[in-house]
Amino acid sequence: MDGLTPQVWAVDALAALAHETRLAVFRMLVTAGPDGMIAGAIAEQTGVPPSTMSHHLATLERAGLVQARRESRLIHYSADYPGMRRLLNFLMQDCCQGAPEMCADLSTILRCPPAQSANV
């Protein structure tokens, strides 16, 4: 990521997300929050063999969209929220050039919805 122009980095990040499994995993990790998930649980939940999942997770990590941390023998993966914000900022940086009404509802769209209670 370091040393890359913002556009080259964004292309790499978008390429990493341009695969059905990786996009699903990224969205799963965003939903999981900062604690993330262990690699085996991700593979199990997606029905992807662990060796294949390792490849997908490594691709997302190289793209700056996922972080890995080892705890004993387990590897926890979580969304890289600064990386996600960086990509969203890159995609939106030229929005509204002279026409702010075009982007007026983006702040509403990008707000996280409140967590649903278990009683719903």
Side-chain angles (χ1 to χ4, degrees):
M1 216 167 36
D2 292 334
L4 298 177
T5 66
Q7 184 160 328
V8 170
W9 177 82
V11 168
D12 288 347
L14 290 169
L17 293 173
H19 185 281
E20 186 176 354
T21 299
R22 288 192 293 268
L23 180 58
V25 167
F26 179 72
R27 293 186 71 193
M28 183 186 311
L29 291 174
V30 168
T31 301
D35 291 336
M37 299 173 66
I38 60 171
I42 297 168
E44 185 177 313
Q45 198 164 338
T46 58
V48 174
S51 60
T52 303
M53 183 53 66
S54 293
H55 167 74
H56 289 308
L57 290 165
T59 299
L60 289 167
E61 187 176 15
R62 279 191 306 275
L65 297 170
V66 166
Q67 296 176 331
R69 70 181 186 285
R70 181 175 288 280
E71 289 181 15
S72 185
R73 293 177 49 176
L74 302 175
I75 301 177
H76 288 256
Y77 288 90
S78 58
D80 185 328
Y81 293 98
M84 181 176 71
R85 280 192 299 277
R86 181 179 178 195
L87 181 58
L88 290 171
N89 284 334
F90 174 82
L91 292 171
M92 300 308 301
Q93 73 186 5
D94 296 324
C95 181
C96 311
Q97 294 282 342
E101 66 279 359
M102 290 177 58
C103 301
D105 65 342
L106 284 179
S107 63
T108 303
I109 293 169
L110 294 177
R111 279 197 192 115
C112 293
Q116 293 183 353
S117 105
N119 298 330
V120 174

